[in-house]
Amino acid sequence: MTQELGVADASRKARAVLDEIERAVVGKRDALTLVLAAVLAGGHVLLEDFPGLGKTLAARSFAQTLGLDFRRAQFTPDLLPADLTGSFIYDQGQAKFEFRPGPLFTGLLLADEINRTPPKTQAALLEAMQERQVTVEGETFVLDPPFLVLATANPVEYEGTYPLPEAQLDRFLLRVGFGYPDAAEEWEVLRRRLERQREEQTLAQVVSREELLAIQAAVESVTVDPDIGRYCVALAAATRRHQHTLVGSSPRGGLALMLVARGYAVIDGRDYVVPEDVKAVAVPALAHRITIRPELWMTDISGRTVVETVLGQVPAPTARDRV
Amino acid sequence: MGPPSPRPASHGALTMGALVLVLCALVATTFDGARWTASEDRVDPSAAAEQDDADRADETQQQEQPRSDDGGDDRWLPWAPPISALLLVPAAVIFAVALLVFARLRLVRRRRQLSRRIGSRRTPLPEAEPPPEDEEAGLSEALDESARMLGEGSPRNAIVAAWVRLEQAVEGEHFAHRPEETPTELVARVVASYRLDGAAEEGAIRRLAALYREARFSTHPVTEDHRAEAADCLRRLLASLRTGAR
C-alpha cells in the first residue's frame, strides 16, 4: 500500500535524491534532473555518451538512492534473449521444469552498453520495457512495478556496436548525454577520489521502493493545461514537417514530452506544468526519435538541431486569447 | 553547451556539380566525335551484306578516299572537335555560371534563414540597446494600467490580465513579439533591454512571471495573497522605472 504524498513532499524527496547522487556524479545536475524526471514519470532512460563520463556510475547511484532492487546486465555480442528473460530449467528432484528468472526481474535494470549486443537480444527488452511483462515459452510473467531500465550506450561510431533500431529507441522516454565536465569539475572528481581513499562509491538510500511509488503517484496528479498538451503535440508534429527529417517524432514523442514535463515540474516543486518544463525536456525527449535525411549524414545536423529549431518556431502557449 | 549550427555542406555540393558539368561537356565532345567517325564505319557492314564483291571493292576504294583526307587533317589538327561540339562550350559556360549564381543565392538565403531561426533562440539579447525615453514613459503608463487591471475580477483572471497587459506594453519597434517565447525567455529579454540592473527589480519581474504562470497553468486555488503579491511586484517595478527616468 502506497501512502498519499503531496507534491511538495514529493519534490523535497526528489531533490534529496539528486543531492545524494551528486555526491557521486559531479556537476551534472541538469542531466541527473532529466533522468530523475523520467524515472518519476515511470519511463526508461538511455544514457548515451562517450566512455568514462559517469553513465554507469549515475545508473548505479540511482539504484542505490531509490532503494530499488538492482541488477546489471552487461550487453555483449554473444548475449542471448534467454540470458535476460530467464528460462525453464529441469529440476531432477521434482522431475519438472522450473522457471529461473533472469536479470529482467528487478526494480532497476542497468543495461550496460546496450548497443554492443545484436538486435535480437536488444529486441528481447522491448516487451519488458513496453508491456512490463516477459513471455518465455508461451508463459507470461509480470514484472513488479516500478520496473525501470537505465541503458547506457557509446555513440555508434565505435567499432563493434549495433545501433539501436528505431522501434527500440522509441521505447526510451529520454535519451540523455552527460557531456565532458569542465576543468574544475574534473578536478573535483579527482579530489573526491583522493578523499575517499578507495575506488568504490557507496551512496545512502534516500527513498524506499514504496516512497518512489508514492512519488510516481504524486506525479500523476500534476495538472497539464490543455494548451500545454497541444503545445507538446505541435512540437512533435513540427519535427515531422521539418525539412531535414526523413522520419519525425511519433505521437509517442509528444506523449513522452508531456510525461517527462510532469516529472520535471514535480522536481521543481509545482503541481502544474509550464511551457518552460516542456522546453527543458524537449531535446532529450524528442531528438532520439528523429531520423535525419540520409544526404545530410556528413553535416552537423542531428535530431538535436531539428528539435532546437522547432522550439524556436512553434508558438508557446499564451494567455492573449483569454483576455 | 551550444550545439553546432546546422550547415549543410553546400561547397562540396557546388564543387561536385561543377565537376559533373565539366565531365558532361567532355563526354558530349568525345561522343560527338565518335559518332562522326562511326557513321562512316556503319555504312560498311550494311553495304557489305547487300552488295556483291565487285561493288564492295568499289566502295572500299571510295572509302579510302575520305580516310586519306582524314589523315591529312590529323597531321595539322590531331584533335579537332566538330563545330557542333564547339558550340557546346559557350552553352556549358553559361549554364555553369547560372548554376553557380543560383547555388550561391540559395546558400545565402538558407544561411539567413538559419541565423534568423537560431538567433531568435540562442541569442535572446540582440536588442540590448535601451528603448527611447518616450517608450519608457509609455511603459510606466502601461504598468499603471496593469496595476489597475490587477484589482478587477477574480485573482486568477486579474493576474493573467495584468501580465498580458505588461507583455503587450514592452513590445514595440525595439522589442518584437515572439510567439515561440516562454515567459521566462521574455523576462530575460526585458531584463537585458530595460535597464533592470537591480536585483530587486529583476526579482520582482521574475516573481510576477511565476505568479502569471501559476495563475495561467495551475488548477489549484489562486488567492488574494497571490493578487497582493503581484500588486507588490508591480509597485516595485513602477518605482524603479520612475527613479530610473529621473
Side-chain angles (χ1 to χ4, degrees):
Chain A
M1 156 120 200
T2 60
Q3 74 262 36
E4 287 285 315
L5 201 66
V7 167
D9 286 336
S11 168
R12 195 170 39 74
K13 285 187 174 159
R15 273 184 277 192
V17 167
L18 285 179
D19 291 340
E20 182 66 17
I21 294 175
E22 266 207 315
R23 280 185 46 221
V25 185
V26 182
K28 294 277 171 266
R29 183 81 180 196
D30 292 347
L32 293 174
T33 307
L34 285 169
V35 175
L36 186 60
V39 167
L40 297 189
H44 313 290
V45 183
L46 176 64
L47 304 170
E48 193 175 77
D49 224 320
F50 295 99
L53 291 176
K55 299 185 296 287
T56 311
L57 175 67
R60 226 181 41 227
S61 304
F62 269 104
Q64 284 175 355
T65 51
L66 294 175
L68 292 176
D69 188 16
F70 173 67
R71 297 278 183 87
R72 174 180 177 157
Q74 191 67 42
F75 280 50
T76 52
D78 57 353
L79 191 78
L80 292 172
D83 296 336
L84 286 178
T85 58
S87 49
F88 283 91
I89 309 276
Y90 187 67
D91 184 350
Q92 279 196 325
Q94 306 209 355
K96 63 173 189 179
F97 281 95
E98 196 173 72
F99 182 66
R100 190 170 291 175
L104 276 183
F105 292 82
T106 182
L108 193 150
L109 173 74
L110 168 57
D112 212 10
E113 303 201 68
I114 191 171
N115 58 345
R116 290 216 179 270
T117 203
K120 183 166 93 175
T121 312
Q122 290 173 357
L125 263 180
L126 273 179
E127 187 192 5
M129 285 171 69
Q130 189 65 30
E131 319 290 339
R132 288 166 207 272
Q133 63 181 32
V134 173
T135 308
V136 182
E137 291 182 23
E139 206 172 317
T140 301
F141 302 89
V142 176
L143 300 168
D144 288 335
F147 169 69
L148 303 167
V149 175
L150 290 188
T152 72
N154 297 333
V156 288
E157 285 84 20
Y158 277 89
E159 237 176 87
T161 60
Y162 302 84
L164 287 170
E166 306 302 323
Q168 177 91 54
L169 271 177
D170 212 22
R171 254 71 176 181
F172 286 101
L173 204 56
L174 286 188
R175 183 179 65 183
V176 180
F178 277 21
Y180 284 99
D182 61 29
E185 287 166 356
E186 209 165 330
W187 160 238
E188 182 65 18
V189 173
L190 272 58
R191 198 190 60 75
R192 287 190 194 179
R193 170 66 185 81
L194 288 175
E195 213 171 60
R196 209 161 56 231
Q197 296 188 336
R198 62 194 152 77
E199 182 55 43
E200 71 277 10
Q201 172 88 273
T202 43
L203 297 177
Q205 179 182 333
V206 179
V207 295
S208 63
R209 179 176 161 274
E210 285 70 31
E211 280 175 313
L212 177 63
L213 288 172
I215 298 174
Q216 287 185 337
V219 170
E220 288 296 330
S221 71
V222 167
T223 308
V224 180
D225 191 86
D227 281 352
I228 298 276
R230 277 189 276 268
Y231 183 50
C232 296
V233 171
L235 284 173
T239 63
R240 278 171 241 153
R241 286 192 304 269
H242 196 275
Q243 55 177 345
H244 293 154
T245 54
L246 185 70
V247 182
S249 161
S250 60
R252 200 187 273 145
L255 183 67
L257 206 52
M258 191 190 72
L259 294 178
V260 184
R262 283 200 311 188
Y264 204 79
V266 165
I267 296 174
D268 203 31
R270 278 179 281 109
D271 66 350
Y272 53 94
V273 176
V274 297
E276 282 82 351
D277 297 328
V278 177
K279 275 201 168 179
V281 304
V283 170
L286 292 180
H288 62 291
R289 299 170 205 269
I290 294 170
T291 311
I292 297 297
R293 286 187 178 279
E295 63 264 31
L296 298 170
W297 71 276
M298 265 176 70
T299 65
D300 289 334
I301 290 162
S302 61
R304 181 192 188 91
T305 59
V306 168
V307 176
E308 283 176 340
T309 316
V310 159
L311 283 177
Q313 286 171 335
V314 176
T318 168
R320 285 168 187 249
D321 46 345
R322 298 206 168 180
V323 179
Chain B
M1 225 176 75
S5 67
R7 254 184 62 195
S10 312
H11 289 294
L14 219 65
T15 325
M16 205 59 188
L19 208 68
V20 167
L21 207 75
V22 168
L23 274 175
C24 282
L26 277 175
V27 166
T29 323
T30 45
F31 187 65
D32 211 59
R35 197 176 55 199
W36 194 41
T37 49
S39 64
E40 284 166 12
D41 289 343
R42 222 179 292 136
V43 181
D44 220 359
S46 61
E50 284 165 14
Q51 290 172 348
D52 54 5
D53 284 344
D55 282 346
R56 205 185 292 163
D58 244 22
E59 217 168 279
T60 39
Q61 249 184 350
Q62 275 176 0
Q63 262 182 13
E64 263 158 25
Q65 207 71 13
R67 237 173 231 170
S68 66
D69 283 354
D70 265 3
D73 272 357
D74 280 351
R75 249 169 271 141
W76 297 105
L77 279 165
W79 186 79
I83 303 292
S84 55
L86 279 174
L87 281 175
L88 260 178
V89 174
V93 167
I94 290 166
F95 184 62
V97 168
L99 199 73
L100 269 171
V101 168
F102 178 70
R104 192 75 214 159
L105 274 177
R106 245 188 90 178
L107 190 72
V108 166
R109 205 181 319 137
R110 177 175 288 191
R111 253 190 214 156
R112 213 171 281 159
Q113 267 176 3
L114 278 176
S115 64
R116 201 188 314 137
R117 261 185 238 149
I118 291 165
S120 68
R121 182 175 42 73
R122 230 190 293 158
T123 50
L125 333 161
E127 48 260 88
E129 58 180 83
E133 290 297 316
D134 57 328
E135 213 165 284
E136 283 201 3
L139 188 65
S140 135
E141 267 172 39
L143 276 175
D144 273 334
E145 199 189 327
S146 190
R148 189 180 50 74
M149 288 170 110
L150 198 56
E152 296 165 3
S154 69
R156 186 188 299 276
N157 286 346
I159 291 173
V160 171
W163 175 263
V164 170
R165 181 71 195 93
L166 201 66
E167 254 186 18
Q168 287 164 340
V170 293
E171 282 160 16
E173 277 178 35
H174 290 264
F175 211 85
H177 170 52
R178 291 185 190 155
E180 75 278 4
E181 224 169 31
T182 59
T184 306
E185 286 161 339
L186 180 75
V187 165
R189 265 203 312 153
V190 168
V191 167
S193 181
Y194 278 91
R195 300 181 210 160
L196 292 176
D197 316 316
E201 292 87 41
E202 211 183 308
I205 194 163
R206 282 190 204 290
R207 183 64 199 138
L208 199 60
L211 284 167
Y212 154 71
R213 285 194 295 262
E214 189 167 353
R216 171 69 178 79
F217 296 111
S218 78
T219 47
H220 62 230
V222 177
T223 60
E224 289 297 330
D225 291 348
H226 290 95
R227 194 207 295 266
E229 203 182 343
D232 182 48
C233 290
L234 269 177
R235 255 196 308 279
R236 271 190 286 165
L237 278 176
L238 203 56
S240 85
L241 204 69
R242 282 185 181 143
T243 51
R246 244 177 264 143

